[in-house]
Amino acid sequence: MTELTKTGQNTMAGTEHGMPGVDIPDARGRTGLDQVGVGLGRNKDVGVTRVEVTSNGWHVLRRTTYTFRQRSGKLVTEQRETYDRGNGATVLAYDPLRRTVLLTRQFRFPAYVNGHEDGMLTEAAAGLLDDDAPDVAIRREAMEELGVQLGELRHVFDLFMSPGSVTERVHFYAAAYTPNDLSGTGGGVEEEGEDIEVIEIPFDDALAMTADGRIVDGKTVILLQWAALNRLL
């Protein structure tokens, strides 16, 4: 268990060896996972008072207690759980001459267990940044997943996809490609358990798939509709 100090930091209570990810390195070499949000001053109406790490596997689940001054002036104490999986990037790879887009198809267990017919989702290429800049990360993911060497990237916007509970911010890009840019096999990284099918389809067909429910991945719907609104193809 952890005990809150007056500074809002968590200290160990009754443990001899400490807590992995807090004051000793966890399996990924991380410490200080209980300090996220402590001392933030960008919003004068919010003050973090306690951060508890409830799970620190590959990603981190925290329970944070903070004070919030409402519009009425009333000061209330609130508690939220946040899932921290890092930030990500996604790209719509498109061929402007043939009017096609390059997408992936892969099994997504969370969608499958929550009502999707078979869990096989059609998506734009995407991945976590890890320690890379967004543009570097999405070039890496495009080669790993699609087997395409991207040229000039067009930054579209950065969006919080589920701000009620997930901290992730996704960087959106679009990039043109030609058949000559398909220099890899794609399919994902086998060592990471990825089994990704690369699909190239007409843009109009992909857009229709967002309307009839064959494409239900949020980032992909956003990119395809953005492309339509901006007459990209």
Side-chain angles (χ1 to χ4, degrees), residues 92-102 154 174-177 201-207 223-233:
L92 180 66
Y94 66 96
D95 185 326
L97 296 180
R98 296 183 299 139
R99 299 191 75 251
T100 58
V101 291
L102 207 56
R154 177 176 178 178
Y177 74 95
I201 58 178
F203 172 72
D204 290 340
D205 290 354
L207 198 59
L223 280 169
L224 290 170
Q225 293 188 348
W226 168 85
L229 288 171
N230 288 274
R231 302 182 183 276
L232 189 67
L233 293 166

Side-chain angles (χ1 to χ4, degrees), residues 104-108 111 116 118-123 216-217:
T104 69
R105 190 168 185 267
Q106 58 186 307
F107 178 68
R108 296 297 201 183
H116 190 273
D118 58 7
M120 301 298 296
L121 266 59
T122 299
E123 307 177 32
V216 293
D217 172 64

Side-chain angles (χ1 to χ4, degrees), residues 26 28 30-37 51-64 80-88 128-130 160 162 164-169:
D26 65 4
R28 298 183 63 186
R30 302 171 298 189
T31 58
L33 296 180
D34 62 333
Q35 297 304 299
V36 173
V51 182
E52 303 166 81
V53 178
T54 59
S55 177
N56 64 331
W58 188 255
H59 306 310
V60 183
L61 184 65
R62 298 179 178 88
R63 182 185 299 114
T64 300
R80 296 289 185 272
E81 288 190 347
T82 57
Y83 184 59
D84 183 354
R85 62 190 303 269
N87 294 325
L128 295 178
L129 303 185
D130 296 326
F160 292 96
S162 186
S165 58
V166 181
T167 62
E168 181 184 26
R169 179 170 55 186

Side-chain angles (χ1 to χ4, degrees), residues 4 36-40 43 45-52 62-70 75-82 163-164:
L4 186 68
V36 173
V38 174
L40 276 181
N43 187 332
D45 294 323
V46 178
V48 173
T49 58
R50 182 181 179 89
V51 182
E52 303 166 81
R62 298 179 178 88
R63 182 185 299 114
T64 300
T65 305
Y66 59 91
T67 59
F68 176 67
R69 189 170 301 280
Q70 298 177 335
L75 190 66
V76 299
T77 298
E78 298 182 339
Q79 192 175 78
R80 296 289 185 272
E81 288 190 347
T82 57

